Amino acid sequence: MSKNLINFSDLTKKDIFDFIELANNFKSEDSLNYRDENLFPDKKIVSMFCEPSTRTKLSFQIAAHNLGAKFIDFDLSNSSMNKGESLEDTLSAMEMMGVDLCILRHTESVIHDFVKNFSNMQFINAGEGSISHPTQTLIDLMTIHESKEKFENLNITIVGDLDHSRVVNSFIEAIQIVGYKSITFCGHPDLCKNFIESPIGNFEPELETALQDADVVMALRIQNERLSEKLTIGASDYVERYQINVDSLQVADPEMILLHPGPVNFGIELSKEASELENCKIRNQIFNGVGMRMAVLTKLFSQA
Ligand code: CP
């Protein structure tokens, strides 16, 4: 395994299962919390989020706290990047100050370009534009693994704004490593242009058909912040055709599980009522975020 986690080309199937096992091992005896371990008191972690985040940043912060590492949140808005300092020079300054690991979220695909220039500081990709978000996918795989025995048997349906989702790209990379039975992509064609003729799965424009045989359904929000053109479908028509709710789920298998990486636009891609069903694992995903990020930090520090 590489000393950085940038995308799934850095990982094998064994690495992915090791992450899931390690994350589960960090659960407390009653499985309601994650244990505090003082494994890395000398490690200094900086989080640098050039895009907003709640789950990713906070769960890394709590994970670092649980492992005894120092967590420093880089204050982008008051940094010298606002005086024109480049990202690369900023990261170099961090490395010279003795930062061990940088958790970086960025609007562009820049993380790959930078990591090779840093021999002492490690990197975790915490979300790159609409390109990749590997730690979210590790959480999603951990959450699926809790409910389903094997990945190889799973019919997976992904619904929503696929073209602008970094989550879907990382998920597709990873699911090809761990195995799957089928993938169905569903959503308005304006938001699924890259998935209509995908070699990985089938595009299904009708939500009801896409939900019918699914073992796992992943709902994705419309990423309004990334849309370059106005959608040709209005909000109420979108809800009518693509919202996952108690009515649309009538056709789903009773054992189906529903995921959403968050944040959720409740009332658009998912109804509040559907999110409260037993099948919905969004709360598990958020909880697992802490354990998986403890596992990621632990495994990467062991590669340093
Ligand atoms: N899923 C996810 O990345 O959420 P945040 O943007 O809140 O970190």
Side-chain angles (χ1 to χ4, degrees):
M1 212 185 99
S2 156
K3 72 184 181 72
N4 304 306
L5 177 52
I6 308 302
N7 59 36
F8 279 93
S9 59
D10 297 331
L11 301 179
T12 63
K13 186 171 180 174
K14 181 177 181 313
D15 291 329
I16 294 172
F17 279 99
D18 285 351
F19 276 125
I20 293 173
E21 187 180 356
L22 186 54
N24 280 317
N25 287 347
F26 279 123
K27 280 184 183 162
S28 62
E29 267 172 34
D30 58 8
S31 297
L32 296 175
N33 217 325
Y34 287 96
R35 290 194 310 269
D36 282 5
E37 312 251 346
N38 200 34
L39 293 177
F40 302 108
D42 299 328
K43 292 291 186 185
K44 292 175 282 300
I45 299 169
V46 165
S47 73
M48 185 178 194
F49 279 64
C50 306
E51 275 192 355
S53 167
T54 296
R55 287 150 202 77
T56 311
K57 187 156 88 174
L58 260 182
S59 60
F60 266 121
Q61 189 161 11
I62 295 165
H65 173 86
N66 288 352
L67 295 168
K70 307 281 179 304
F71 186 93
I72 302 139
D73 185 20
F74 181 77
D75 183 1
L76 187 73
S77 59
N78 286 310
S79 75
S80 290
M81 286 176 78
N82 269 343
K83 296 185 273 186
E85 189 166 29
S86 70
L87 177 62
E88 186 161 18
D89 289 346
T90 306
L91 294 170
S92 292
M94 278 185 203
E95 187 180 45
M96 284 178 234
M97 288 180 223
V99 171
D100 296 292
L101 185 144
C102 176
I103 299 167
L104 180 59
R105 174 171 285 191
H106 205 274
T107 47
E108 309 289 336
S109 177
V110 293
I111 302 176
H112 301 78
D113 297 338
F114 286 131
V115 292
K116 58 184 179 298
N117 301 337
F118 293 85
S119 49
N120 295 322
M121 191 164 73
Q122 296 179 268
F123 283 89
I124 296 174
N125 171 3
E128 244 188 327
S130 49
I131 297 153
S132 59
H133 194 357
T135 61
Q136 179 62 48
T137 291
L138 288 170
I139 293 161
D140 298 344
L141 295 178
M142 175 181 177
T143 309
I144 293 170
H145 194 255
E146 277 172 348
S147 300
K148 307 286 179 189
E149 265 177 34
K150 291 183 178 167
F151 293 106
E152 289 89 341
N153 302 338
L154 298 178
N155 295 313
I156 299 164
T157 289
I158 307 177
V159 187
D161 178 2
L162 277 62
D163 282 343
H164 302 102
S165 169
R166 50 184 163 225
V167 171
V168 76
N169 292 331
S170 284
F171 187 80
I172 288 170
E173 273 190 86
I175 205 74
Q176 291 180 86
I177 300 172
V178 296
Y180 66 99
K181 187 172 170 195
S182 74
I183 299 195
T184 302
F185 302 113
C186 178
H188 190 271
D190 281 4
L191 299 169
C192 301
K193 292 188 183 95
N194 301 328
F195 294 84
I196 289 172
E197 291 186 6
S198 166
I200 312 300
N202 298 320
F203 178 71
E204 171 51 63
E206 297 299 326
L207 180 61
E208 198 168 298
T209 312
L211 294 178
Q212 261 164 15
D213 295 322
D215 302 297
V216 176
V217 174
M218 182 185 290
L220 299 171
R221 75 182 171 96
I222 298 180
Q223 311 231 340
N224 289 306
E225 70 276 26
R226 298 192 207 283
L227 294 183
S228 53
E229 292 167 21
K230 199 172 178 304
L231 293 179
T232 58
I233 184 168
S236 60
D237 284 345
Y238 188 87
V239 168
E240 175 79 26
R241 287 181 60 190
Y242 299 109
Q243 186 185 81
I244 296 178
N245 53 41
V246 173
D247 283 342
S248 57
L249 287 174
Q250 297 260 337
V251 296
D253 187 292
E255 301 295 314
M256 174 277 305
I257 60 164
L258 176 60
L259 306 179
H260 191 307
V264 180
N265 288 323
F266 285 112
I268 306 292
E269 72 270 12
L270 182 66
S271 73
K272 196 82 185 166
E273 218 183 341
S275 76
E276 286 159 4
L277 296 172
E278 183 77 8
N279 310 61
C280 183
K281 304 297 175 189
I282 295 175
R283 282 173 291 276
N284 304 58
Q285 287 172 281
I286 296 171
F287 175 69
N288 288 339
V290 173
M292 181 51 77
R293 282 162 178 143
M294 288 172 76
V296 167
L297 292 172
T298 300
K299 291 265 284 175
L300 288 199
F301 284 145
S302 74
Q303 307 294 323

